[in-house]
């Protein structure tokens, strides 16, 4: 019985194959009546690629976007390549789009679905938009606005999605009639968004606390005593303290060499913590690098305060979206990301190369300047108190910058400028420049003097009036206008009077000796005006000026009671003249050539901060020529207006 059932109910594989899979011949024979037998039609080659063109176009749009990003946020070292590519970038985009589309349509054919047409059209519109923004020089503003709006839409959308989804989930759970293990795609997305926000918001709050607090600085609590027989000196501050642009010479070298003469029984150890581009907060943060407690600390800082925390300057601007930000401020994630974006906006405004105008606006409002000045004073107080607790002798420098030879970066009016005021000021500037170029200094001076009377807060007119007075031989009359142009600069890369006074006030309260840079260097200038006779550029002293500053610091150190009690009375300094100090530092003509090349690079970088920078460009070229001639041996130090090492 079993065998018969098996035979009748389970046909063999051969019979199945025979009955259910007719051969090609039988298929051909069983064609419909009246139709000739034919082989299956193969699809045409282009039908398989009918949706290929849209996706190739989408890839081209993504590639164009990635290639455009470096033109939006370009590293400083690549700015020269941006200047080469950017003017013609829109032509490159349109040309690539035209050639690629011809190839894509020829190879892939026209799309045969509405989705393909949408991808094709939107991708082409995106590339065309990139080309338009590039041609109008609007790439960076558009990118910033996209980030700003995108962040707000994303944060709001995520929270609305999670909150509404939570309400829907609670409603469904409360009205559920039967159990179900199925979860919809929307439910999975909602759960993912919920987990993301629950993890991201607390993490962002923790991160914001861990980031450097710009209002306070954490200083080392306790440091071990230095070994016996060693005199440790810490140098703290910016590029001037670091001796820029001279790699082998500066205030630390001068102080170290002269202290060696004063305390020959001690090993003088220089803990140089200074670096290019630091502000006071970041300079003090480097005290963590100390391994022992120094006996002496020297500070030179104050020129770079507006190159840091630029997101504050960006949020200080009047922006169209700021009225809605109160809705988002409760979100730590929004605050952290918005700070990063605001930093980009601040840097864009700070370094808006080619976008500056004669009548500009100040980088920061009076309220923002006062806030930063107060913070600067608090950080100085922290340092002074720390030195007192640690029994560390201190000497502070009051920084200074060149008054002549360096025009203000931004000039502005006390009130918002009208179109008629702008045109009037631009007309005065053009007429004055024309008179200056033709050597008619008296007429140009009269025009600028009248303009200063009408616009006393406009820095450019003060500077140009001073230039005219100097050419007329009236240096005494020019000095106050040079000084006023520095004080009124809307982008103060040179320390202004309130900041210099703050250094003096804090130092006076804590009995810290001061070296007033301006007072030290003025006697070494031809007319008492701080100019290129003592400065290489806007803030960096030349070789002899560094020597004068270092020697003045040692004069204060020589009378310090803490050092006297520790090491006894210092000996007279012998062999500490300029030439001996230069020789002790091992400074050569090659080092001078390198310094001039660095100065040229710094001048070229500074050109982006000003509306007209032909003078800076000329100075940069001059230093470049000096560097080349010194390296090749065509001249030696002291020739062709270069500095002497003797």
């Amino acid at each position: 019985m079993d065998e018969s059932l098996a035979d009748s109910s389970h046909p063999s594989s051969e019979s199945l194959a025979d009955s259910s899979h007719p051969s090609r011949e039988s298929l051909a024979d069983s064609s419909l009546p009246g139709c000739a037998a034919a082989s299956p039609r193969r699809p045409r080659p282009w039908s398989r690629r009918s949706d290929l063109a849209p996706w190739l176009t989408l890839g081209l749009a993504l590639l164009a976007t990635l290639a455009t990003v470096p033109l939006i946020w370009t590293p400083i070292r690549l700015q020269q390549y941006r200047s080469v590519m950017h003017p013609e970038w829109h032509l490159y985009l349109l040309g690539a789009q035209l050639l690629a589309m011809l190839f894509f349509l020829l190879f892939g054919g026209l799309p045969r679905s509405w989705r393909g047409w949408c991808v094709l059209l939107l991708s082409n519109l995106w590339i065309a938009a990139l080309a338009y923004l590039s041609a109008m020089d609007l790439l960076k503003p558009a990118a910033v606005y996209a980030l700003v709006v995108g962040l707000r839409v994303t944060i709001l959308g995520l929270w609305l999605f999670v909150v509404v989804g939570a309400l829907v989930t609670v409603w469904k759970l409360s009205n559920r009639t039967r159990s179900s293990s199925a979860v919809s795609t929307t439910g999975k997305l909602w759960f993912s968004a919920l987990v993301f926000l629950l993890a991201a918001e607390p993490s962002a709050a923790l991160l914001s606390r861990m980031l450097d607090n710009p209002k306070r600085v954490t200083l080392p609590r306790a440091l071990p005593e230095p070994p016996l027989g060693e005199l440790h000196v810490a140098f703290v501050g910016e590029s001037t303290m670091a001796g820029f642009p001279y790699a082998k010479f500066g205030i630390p070298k001068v102080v170290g060499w002269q202290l060696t003469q004063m305390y020959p029984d001690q090993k003088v150890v220089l803990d140089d913590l200074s670096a290019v581009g630091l502000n006071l907060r970041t300079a003090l943060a480097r005290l963590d690098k100390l391994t022992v407690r120094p006996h002496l600390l020297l500070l030179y800082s104050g020129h770079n305060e507006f190159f840091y925390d630029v997101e504050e300057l960006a949020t200080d601007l009047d922006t169209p979206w700021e009225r809605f930000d109160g809705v988002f401020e409760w979100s730590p994630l929004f605050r952290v990301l918005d700070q990063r974006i605001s930093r980009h906006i601040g840097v864009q405004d700070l370094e808006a190369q080619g976008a500056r105008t004669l009548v500009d606006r100040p980088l920061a409002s009076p309220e923002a300047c006062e806030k930063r000045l107060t913070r600067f004073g608090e950080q100085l107080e922290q340092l002074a108190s720390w030195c007192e607790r640690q029994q560390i002798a201190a000497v502070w420098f009051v920084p200074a910058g060149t008054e002549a030879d360096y025009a203000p970066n931004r000039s502005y009016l006390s009130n918002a400028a009208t179109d008629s005021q702008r045109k009037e000021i631009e007309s005065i500037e053009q007429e004055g420049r024309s008179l200056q170029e033709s050597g008619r200094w008296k007429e140009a001076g009269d025009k600028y003097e009248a303009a200063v009377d009408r616009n006393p807060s406009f820095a450019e007119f003060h500077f140009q009036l001073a230039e005219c007075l100097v050419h007329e031989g009236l240096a005494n009359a020019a000095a106050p206008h040079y000084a006023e142009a520095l004080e009124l600069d809307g982008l103060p890369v040179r320390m202004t009077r309130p900041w210099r006074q703050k250094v003096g006030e804090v130092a006076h309260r804590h009995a810290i000796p001061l070296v007033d840079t301006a007072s030290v260097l003025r006697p070494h200038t031809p007319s008492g005006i701080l100019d290129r006779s003592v400065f290489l550029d806007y803030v960096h002293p030349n070789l002899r000026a560094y020597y004068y500053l270092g020697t003045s610091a040692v004069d204060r150190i020589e009378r310090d009671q803490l050092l006297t009690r520790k090491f006894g009375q210092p000996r007279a300094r012998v062999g500490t003249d300029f030439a001996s100090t230069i020789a002790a530092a091992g400074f050569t003509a090659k080092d001078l050539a390198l310094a001039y090349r660095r100065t040229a690079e710094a001048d070229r970088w500074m050109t982006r901060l000003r509306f007209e920078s032909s003078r800076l460009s000329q100075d940069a070229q001059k230093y470049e020529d000096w560097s080349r001639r010194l390296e090749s041996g065509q001249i030696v130090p002291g020739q062709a207006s270069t500095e002497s090492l003797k």
Side-chain angles (χ1 to χ4, degrees):
M1 178 178 178
D2 294 338
E3 292 177 357
S4 62
L5 285 173
D7 293 341
S8 61
S9 61
H10 296 286
S12 65
S13 59
E14 290 81 358
S15 62
L16 286 172
D18 293 342
S19 62
S20 61
H21 296 285
S23 64
R24 292 182 179 178
E25 290 79 1
S26 62
L27 284 171
D29 294 340
S30 61
S31 301
L32 293 173
C35 295
S39 61
R41 180 181 297 177
R42 295 183 179 181
R44 296 180 180 179
W46 55 83
S47 66
R48 294 196 304 266
R49 302 194 297 262
S50 60
D51 283 332
L52 186 60
W55 301 111
L56 288 176
T57 309
L58 178 61
L60 177 65
L62 293 175
L63 184 62
T65 304
L66 293 175
T68 304
V69 167
L71 296 180
I72 300 173
W73 287 292
T74 310
I76 293 175
R77 294 182 179 180
L78 300 180
Q79 286 289 341
Q80 55 181 334
Y81 301 107
R82 182 187 187 279
S83 62
V84 172
M85 295 295 294
H86 184 265
E88 307 295 335
W89 187 246
H90 62 287
L91 298 179
Y92 300 149
L93 287 175
L94 294 176
Q97 181 183 23
L98 178 61
L99 294 176
M101 286 307 303
L102 291 175
F103 174 77
F104 293 164
L105 294 176
L106 180 63
F107 179 75
L110 293 174
R112 297 194 175 186
S113 65
W114 65 268
R115 180 183 300 176
W117 276 110
C118 287
V119 171
L120 183 71
L121 293 175
L122 291 176
S123 299
N124 277 286
L125 287 175
W126 177 258
I127 298 174
L130 289 178
Y132 173 78
L133 293 173
S134 176
M136 297 293 102
D137 200 16
L138 295 174
L139 281 173
K140 185 171 287 188
V144 169
Y145 273 86
L147 285 174
V148 168
V149 175
L151 172 64
R152 284 151 178 80
V153 170
T154 301
I155 294 293
L156 183 62
L158 275 174
W159 273 106
L160 285 177
F161 180 58
V162 168
V163 170
V164 173
L167 295 176
V168 172
T169 301
V170 171
W171 178 78
K172 284 189 173 182
L173 290 175
S174 62
N175 293 276
R176 185 175 59 180
T177 57
R178 60 184 181 84
S179 60
S180 174
S181 59
V183 180
S184 65
T185 302
T186 304
K188 294 177 181 178
L189 290 175
W190 172 81
F191 185 74
S192 300
L194 176 64
V195 171
F196 171 77
L197 288 178
L198 290 177
E201 292 288 0
S203 300
L206 180 62
L207 179 62
S208 63
R209 289 190 176 187
M210 294 176 59
L211 292 175
D212 291 339
N213 186 346
K215 295 184 178 180
R216 295 192 60 82
V217 178
T218 302
L219 301 177
R221 292 188 176 181
L223 291 168
E225 289 285 331
L228 292 175
E230 293 185 358
L231 194 166
H232 281 252
V233 187
F235 298 89
V236 181
E238 57 195 35
S239 55
T240 301
M241 181 61 84
F244 182 89
Y246 308 105
K248 294 183 180 179
F249 198 77
I251 293 172
K253 293 292 185 181
V254 177
V255 171
W257 174 245
Q258 297 198 16
L259 285 178
T260 301
Q261 311 304 311
M262 294 163 57
Y263 299 101
D265 298 333
Q266 302 292 323
K267 178 183 178 183
V268 178
V269 180
L270 307 181
D271 298 318
D272 192 355
L273 306 177
S274 59
V276 175
L278 300 182
N279 68 343
L280 180 59
R281 176 173 60 87
T282 53
L284 296 184
R286 292 171 69 91
L287 288 171
D288 285 338
K289 296 180 178 292
L290 290 173
T291 57
V292 297
R293 180 179 61 82
H295 299 101
L296 174 66
L297 183 145
L298 279 75
L299 173 71
Y300 194 117
S301 183
H303 287 309
N304 296 323
E305 295 304 312
F306 286 89
F307 286 105
Y308 283 81
D309 304 313
V310 293
E311 60 272 14
E312 291 181 351
L313 306 179
T315 54
D316 188 57
L317 301 175
D318 292 329
T319 53
W321 54 82
E322 65 179 2
R323 69 189 67 178
F324 305 107
D325 282 353
V327 179
F328 302 95
E329 286 295 332
W330 51 265
S331 168
L333 179 62
F334 168 79
R335 293 198 301 270
V336 169
L337 295 178
D338 186 56
Q339 186 184 50
R340 299 298 100 185
I341 296 174
S342 296
R343 184 184 298 276
H344 283 297
I345 299 174
V347 171
Q348 173 197 354
D349 186 63
L350 183 67
E351 302 180 0
Q353 189 173 19
R356 303 261 62 93
T357 57
L358 172 62
V359 184
D360 213 323
R361 66 164 193 85
L363 180 69
S365 67
E367 294 77 15
C369 290
E370 186 62 31
K371 177 181 177 181
R372 285 174 173 249
L373 180 59
T374 300
R375 183 188 304 162
F376 181 74
E378 292 173 352
Q379 293 166 357
L380 289 174
E381 288 282 357
Q382 281 187 264
L383 177 62
S385 300
W386 181 77
C387 287
E388 289 175 348
R389 292 193 303 270
Q390 299 284 336
Q391 292 291 298
I392 300 172
V395 174
W396 289 1
F397 289 84
V398 181
T402 180
E403 296 164 339
D405 301 312
Y406 188 83
N409 291 308
R410 295 192 188 182
S411 300
Y412 59 93
L413 299 175
S414 55
N415 298 316
T418 63
D419 290 339
S420 60
Q421 285 177 311
R422 289 178 178 273
K423 292 179 180 178
E424 179 187 3
I425 289 175
E426 290 171 357
S427 175
I428 293 172
E429 194 269 343
Q430 291 173 1
E431 293 175 12
R433 285 294 181 90
S434 178
L435 292 171
Q436 288 172 302
E437 291 172 359
S438 60
R440 299 157 65 182
W441 297 102
K442 179 66 169 64
E443 296 178 49
D446 291 341
K447 183 170 287 295
Y448 286 128
E449 187 171 12
V452 165
D453 291 338
R454 292 196 300 273
N455 306 283
S457 66
F458 201 71
E460 185 72 17
F461 287 160
H462 281 281
F463 182 83
Q464 297 302 336
L465 173 57
E467 293 279 279
C468 294
L469 292 172
V470 166
H471 279 85
E472 291 182 71
L474 303 174
N476 291 335
H481 290 287
Y482 275 134
E484 196 66 13
L486 188 156
E487 300 300 330
L488 293 172
D489 194 343
L491 201 173
V493 297
R494 298 167 291 179
M495 200 176 195
T496 55
R497 187 181 298 113
W499 297 74
R500 299 194 300 268
Q501 290 174 346
K502 183 66 71 174
V503 175
E505 291 169 4
V506 177
H508 178 73
R509 280 196 293 271
H510 295 270
I512 296 174
L514 284 177
V515 177
D516 185 12
T517 301
S519 299
V520 171
L521 298 184
R522 282 193 198 281
H524 303 284
T525 62
S527 58
I529 299 173
L530 299 177
D531 55 17
R532 293 293 176 119
S533 63
V534 288
F535 284 96
L536 280 180
D537 54 18
Y538 56 106
V539 294
H540 299 113
N542 59 22
L543 285 171
R544 287 191 178 272
Y546 273 126
Y547 171 77
Y548 299 140
L549 292 174
T551 301
S552 296
V554 176
D555 291 340
R556 275 67 168 177
I557 295 169
E558 199 171 21
R559 301 189 294 269
D560 189 271
Q561 295 181 0
L562 283 175
L563 293 179
T564 301
R565 287 198 300 267
K566 179 71 176 179
F567 301 105
Q569 289 294 331
R571 298 186 183 181
R573 286 170 269 173
V574 179
T576 57
D577 59 281
F578 174 72
S580 300
T581 308
I582 284 286
F587 196 86
T588 65
K590 289 186 178 181
D591 298 315
L592 186 61
L594 176 60
Y596 287 160
R597 190 181 310 117
R598 289 176 172 174
T599 303
E601 293 172 357
D603 277 351
R604 289 195 179 99
W605 187 88
M606 293 297 293
T607 58
R608 72 189 62 205
L609 305 183
R610 182 173 156 76
F611 81 100
E612 194 278 326
S613 54
S614 58
R615 185 168 184 172
L616 269 176
S617 299
Q618 292 171 5
D619 287 340
Q621 188 59 52
K622 177 185 66 176
Y623 282 118
E624 194 72 48
D625 292 340
W626 282 349
S627 176
R628 177 180 50 79
R629 295 173 70 186
L630 284 168
E631 286 180 337
S632 63
Q634 297 179 22
I635 58 174
V636 297
Q639 293 180 347
S641 300
T642 59
E643 298 173 83
S644 174
L645 305 184
K646 299 179 181 178

